[in-house]
Amino acid sequence: MEIEILFYLCMAAFCAGFIDSIVGGGGLIQTPLSLAFLPNLPVSTVIGTLKIPAFSGTALATSQYLKKVKIDCKLFAIMAICAFVSAFLGSQLLTVINNDFMKPVLLIILIVLAIYTIFKKDFGQATERKIPYHIAIINGCIVSIAVGFYDGFIGPATGTFFILGFVTLLGMDFLKANTNAKLINLATNFGSICLFLIKGQIIWKIALPMAVCNALGGFIGAKLAINKGNKFIRYIFILVILLSICRFGYEVIFK
């Protein structure tokens, strides 16, 4: 591999780690650029390789959030197990069939989500809503299974969908939702990594340098998000949704 290509991939990984640590959606940067720079590799191999930098960036960002936000360990453990299993199954499905049929549906969902978030000014801003614990567990499982499967099967903007689910169904504010999203995302990434390791679809000479850069971006982004708070995270959340619409819109219309 040419050093120049690896350099561009590492730059993409840094930017992806930075954005992803704030509100998810780093895959919107990292995935399409990697596919463009590595056109001769199978898509599943590229996706498998990218799980390593995604995991490293999320792990370092999570370590920063945990210094600020308290987590319900029982709820997290349940959601993490659900997310791990569903991500593994999603990755397994990706190695068998193409995921293009899902993109028009995702495009519609993202457009609705963008409109809702833009016009509902207090979305994720206010104090957390109190939800009965058994309902929180059920809702947490629903979010984790659905988004975990999406992460394994499609991938980009997984953290954004987790945040949406946690704010909407678990009543969290953006900062707490983001922290939980990072933790669960670690589980989904690990589930996918296990599958791709078994399949031998990780190229380590690409994955490791990108992992270092993604982790650095994640560290810086997490520090910024913690210092700026919910309002800043909301703006980046809207930006990532709009980028997601552009990305999936392009793929649906022009491909």
Side-chain angles (χ1 to χ4, degrees):
M1 170 181 292
E2 295 181 11
I3 297 297
E4 184 180 2
I5 292 177
L6 185 58
F7 172 78
Y8 289 133
L9 290 173
C10 287
M11 290 297 293
F14 174 84
C15 295
F18 178 81
I19 293 295
D20 198 77
S21 66
I22 298 173
V23 74
L28 295 169
I29 299 171
Q30 190 166 254
T31 303
L33 287 176
S34 297
L35 289 170
F37 281 117
L38 303 169
N40 297 323
L41 293 177
V43 172
S44 58
T45 299
V46 176
I47 298 299
T49 300
L50 294 182
K51 292 297 178 183
I52 302 299
F55 185 87
S56 69
T58 301
L60 196 55
T62 302
S63 69
Q64 300 305 306
Y65 281 111
L66 288 176
K67 296 176 183 178
K68 178 77 173 180
V69 179
K70 185 178 180 180
I71 296 297
D72 184 323
C73 294
K74 179 182 177 181
L75 179 60
F76 161 70
I78 294 172
M79 293 193 299
I81 292 171
C82 292
F84 175 90
V85 174
S86 59
F88 185 92
L89 295 175
S91 296
Q92 178 66 52
L93 186 62
L94 178 63
T95 64
V96 178
I97 65 173
N98 193 285
N99 60 21
D100 285 343
F101 71 93
M102 283 290 294
K103 291 174 182 177
V105 178
L106 286 170
L107 179 60
I108 295 172
I109 292 173
L110 286 167
I111 291 172
V112 173
L113 174 59
I115 294 171
Y116 178 80
T117 307
I118 290 171
F119 287 98
K120 188 172 176 57
K121 302 293 185 182
D122 63 344
F123 182 71
Q125 301 293 303
T127 305
E128 292 182 65
R129 291 182 286 112
K130 294 296 182 181
I131 294 178
Y133 197 68
H134 69 285
I135 299 297
I137 290 177
I138 293 172
N139 289 348
C141 289
I142 292 172
V143 173
S144 299
I145 291 171
V147 182
F149 186 84
Y150 167 84
D151 187 36
F153 189 52
I154 299 178
T158 295
T160 307
F161 282 119
F162 269 128
I163 291 172
L164 169 67
F166 293 151
V167 171
T168 304
L169 297 180
L170 275 74
M172 299 178 181
D173 62 21
F174 268 127
L175 191 59
K176 188 167 186 177
N178 199 10
T179 305
N180 278 273
K182 293 287 171 287
L183 283 167
I184 305 301
N185 217 351
L186 284 176
T188 62
N189 277 330
F190 187 66
S192 297
I193 286 170
C194 289
L195 186 280
F196 287 118
L197 278 172
I198 293 171
K199 297 285 186 178
Q201 292 182 318
I202 296 177
I203 302 176
W204 291 100
K205 65 180 181 180
I206 299 174
L208 293 179
M210 290 184 71
V212 173
C213 295
N214 195 296
L216 179 59
F219 177 81
I220 296 172
K223 286 286 190 182
L224 185 62
I226 291 170
N227 290 333
K228 296 292 186 179
N230 286 322
K231 188 174 182 179
F232 172 75
I233 296 174
R234 180 179 182 273
Y235 290 142
I236 303 299
F237 182 79
I238 293 172
L239 174 62
V240 169
I241 292 174
L242 294 176
L243 289 174
S244 301
I245 291 172
C246 293
R247 186 261 174 89
F248 285 114
Y250 173 80
E251 293 189 356
V252 169
I253 296 171
F254 296 105
K255 290 189 177 181

